[in-house]
Short mmCIF file of all heavy atoms in Angstrom, two decimals:
data_model
loop_
_atom_site.label_atom_id
_atom_site.label_comp_id
_atom_site.label_asym_id
_atom_site.label_seq_id
_atom_site.Cartn_x
_atom_site.Cartn_y
_atom_site.Cartn_z
N ALA A 438 -62.47 -68.57 -11.35
CA ALA A 438 -62.25 -68.07 -12.73
C ALA A 438 -63.55 -67.67 -13.42
O ALA A 438 -63.59 -66.67 -14.13
CB ALA A 438 -61.52 -69.15 -13.53
N SER A 439 -64.62 -68.47 -13.21
CA SER A 439 -65.83 -68.24 -14.00
C SER A 439 -67.04 -67.77 -13.17
O SER A 439 -68.06 -67.37 -13.73
CB SER A 439 -66.22 -69.53 -14.73
OG SER A 439 -65.25 -69.86 -15.67
N ILE A 441 -70.43 -67.49 -11.53
CA ILE A 441 -71.73 -68.15 -11.74
C ILE A 441 -71.76 -69.00 -13.02
O ILE A 441 -72.61 -69.89 -13.17
CB ILE A 441 -72.84 -67.08 -11.78
CG1 ILE A 441 -74.22 -67.71 -11.77
CG2 ILE A 441 -72.64 -66.20 -13.05
CD1 ILE A 441 -74.53 -68.46 -10.51
N PHE A 442 -70.79 -68.77 -13.94
CA PHE A 442 -70.74 -69.55 -15.17
C PHE A 442 -69.94 -70.87 -15.00
O PHE A 442 -69.72 -71.56 -15.99
CB PHE A 442 -70.11 -68.74 -16.29
CG PHE A 442 -70.91 -67.50 -16.64
CD1 PHE A 442 -70.48 -66.25 -16.26
CD2 PHE A 442 -72.09 -67.59 -17.35
CE1 PHE A 442 -71.20 -65.10 -16.58
CE2 PHE A 442 -72.84 -66.47 -17.68
CZ PHE A 442 -72.40 -65.23 -17.28
N TRP A 584 -76.16 -64.53 -9.56
CA TRP A 584 -76.20 -64.10 -10.96
C TRP A 584 -75.94 -62.59 -11.05
O TRP A 584 -75.31 -62.15 -11.98
CB TRP A 584 -77.53 -64.48 -11.56
CG TRP A 584 -77.72 -63.95 -12.95
CD1 TRP A 584 -78.46 -62.86 -13.32
CD2 TRP A 584 -77.15 -64.47 -14.15
NE1 TRP A 584 -78.42 -62.66 -14.69
CE2 TRP A 584 -77.59 -63.66 -15.23
CE3 TRP A 584 -76.31 -65.57 -14.43
CZ2 TRP A 584 -77.23 -63.87 -16.54
CZ3 TRP A 584 -75.93 -65.77 -15.74
CH2 TRP A 584 -76.39 -64.93 -16.79
N ARG A 587 -72.29 -61.58 -11.44
CA ARG A 587 -71.59 -62.25 -12.52
C ARG A 587 -70.45 -61.36 -13.06
O ARG A 587 -70.54 -60.13 -12.99
CB ARG A 587 -72.53 -62.65 -13.63
CG ARG A 587 -73.21 -61.47 -14.29
CD ARG A 587 -74.26 -61.94 -15.30
NE ARG A 587 -74.95 -60.83 -15.98
CZ ARG A 587 -75.97 -60.18 -15.47
NH1 ARG A 587 -76.43 -60.49 -14.28
NH2 ARG A 587 -76.55 -59.21 -16.14
N PRO A 588 -69.43 -61.94 -13.63
CA PRO A 588 -68.32 -61.14 -14.19
C PRO A 588 -68.76 -60.37 -15.40
O PRO A 588 -69.73 -60.72 -16.09
CB PRO A 588 -67.28 -62.21 -14.55
CG PRO A 588 -68.04 -63.47 -14.70
CD PRO A 588 -69.19 -63.39 -13.71
N THR A 589 -68.08 -59.29 -15.67
CA THR A 589 -68.45 -58.39 -16.80
C THR A 589 -67.92 -58.94 -18.15
O THR A 589 -68.65 -58.92 -19.15
CB THR A 589 -67.88 -57.00 -16.55
OG1 THR A 589 -66.46 -57.10 -16.35
CG2 THR A 589 -68.54 -56.36 -15.33
N ASN A 590 -66.69 -59.44 -18.15
CA ASN A 590 -66.11 -59.97 -19.41
C ASN A 590 -66.45 -61.45 -19.50
O ASN A 590 -65.64 -62.31 -19.18
CB ASN A 590 -64.60 -59.73 -19.41
CG ASN A 590 -63.98 -59.96 -20.79
OD1 ASN A 590 -64.63 -60.52 -21.66
ND2 ASN A 590 -62.76 -59.52 -20.94
N ILE A 591 -67.66 -61.73 -19.94
CA ILE A 591 -68.15 -63.10 -19.93
C ILE A 591 -67.35 -64.04 -20.82
O ILE A 591 -66.98 -65.14 -20.38
CB ILE A 591 -69.67 -63.12 -20.28
CG1 ILE A 591 -70.46 -62.34 -19.23
CG2 ILE A 591 -70.15 -64.56 -20.40
CD1 ILE A 591 -71.95 -62.29 -19.54
N PRO A 592 -67.04 -63.70 -22.09
CA PRO A 592 -66.25 -64.63 -22.93
C PRO A 592 -64.92 -65.00 -22.32
O PRO A 592 -64.51 -66.17 -22.39
CB PRO A 592 -66.12 -63.87 -24.26
CG PRO A 592 -67.28 -62.93 -24.26
CD PRO A 592 -67.45 -62.49 -22.88
N ARG A 593 -64.24 -64.00 -21.78
CA ARG A 593 -62.91 -64.27 -21.21
C ARG A 593 -63.03 -65.20 -20.00
O ARG A 593 -62.28 -66.17 -19.87
CB ARG A 593 -62.25 -62.96 -20.82
CG ARG A 593 -60.88 -63.11 -20.18
CD ARG A 593 -60.28 -61.78 -19.81
NE ARG A 593 -58.96 -61.92 -19.27
CZ ARG A 593 -58.66 -62.21 -17.98
NH1 ARG A 593 -59.67 -62.38 -17.13
NH2 ARG A 593 -57.41 -62.34 -17.58
N GLU A 594 -63.98 -64.89 -19.11
CA GLU A 594 -64.12 -65.70 -17.91
C GLU A 594 -64.58 -67.13 -18.26
O GLU A 594 -64.15 -68.10 -17.64
CB GLU A 594 -65.15 -65.05 -16.97
CG GLU A 594 -64.85 -63.62 -16.57
CD GLU A 594 -63.51 -63.53 -15.84
OE1 GLU A 594 -63.13 -64.49 -15.15
OE2 GLU A 594 -62.81 -62.49 -15.99
N MET A 595 -65.43 -67.25 -19.27
CA MET A 595 -65.89 -68.57 -19.72
C MET A 595 -64.71 -69.37 -20.28
O MET A 595 -64.57 -70.57 -19.99
CB MET A 595 -66.99 -68.42 -20.73
CG MET A 595 -68.36 -68.14 -20.14
SD MET A 595 -69.06 -69.57 -19.31
CE MET A 595 -69.23 -70.69 -20.72
N PHE A 596 -63.88 -68.73 -21.09
CA PHE A 596 -62.77 -69.44 -21.71
C PHE A 596 -61.79 -69.98 -20.66
O PHE A 596 -61.42 -71.15 -20.65
CB PHE A 596 -62.04 -68.51 -22.69
CG PHE A 596 -60.73 -69.11 -23.20
CD1 PHE A 596 -60.75 -70.13 -24.13
CD2 PHE A 596 -59.52 -68.61 -22.74
CE1 PHE A 596 -59.54 -70.66 -24.58
CE2 PHE A 596 -58.32 -69.13 -23.21
CZ PHE A 596 -58.32 -70.18 -24.13
N PHE A 597 -61.38 -69.11 -19.72
CA PHE A 597 -60.44 -69.54 -18.70
C PHE A 597 -61.09 -70.54 -17.76
O PHE A 597 -60.42 -71.43 -17.21
CB PHE A 597 -59.89 -68.33 -17.93
CG PHE A 597 -58.91 -67.52 -18.71
CD1 PHE A 597 -59.16 -66.17 -19.02
CD2 PHE A 597 -57.75 -68.09 -19.18
CE1 PHE A 597 -58.24 -65.45 -19.74
CE2 PHE A 597 -56.83 -67.36 -19.91
CZ PHE A 597 -57.09 -66.01 -20.20
N GLY A 598 -62.41 -70.42 -17.57
CA GLY A 598 -63.10 -71.40 -16.71
C GLY A 598 -63.09 -72.77 -17.34
O GLY A 598 -62.88 -73.79 -16.67
#
Side-chain angles (χ1 to χ4, degrees):
S439 296
I441 190 64
F442 297 105
W584 173 259
R587 63 186 180 276
T589 55
N590 193 346
I591 297 178
R593 180 180 182 276
E594 304 300 329
M595 280 288 295
F596 171 73
F597 287 119

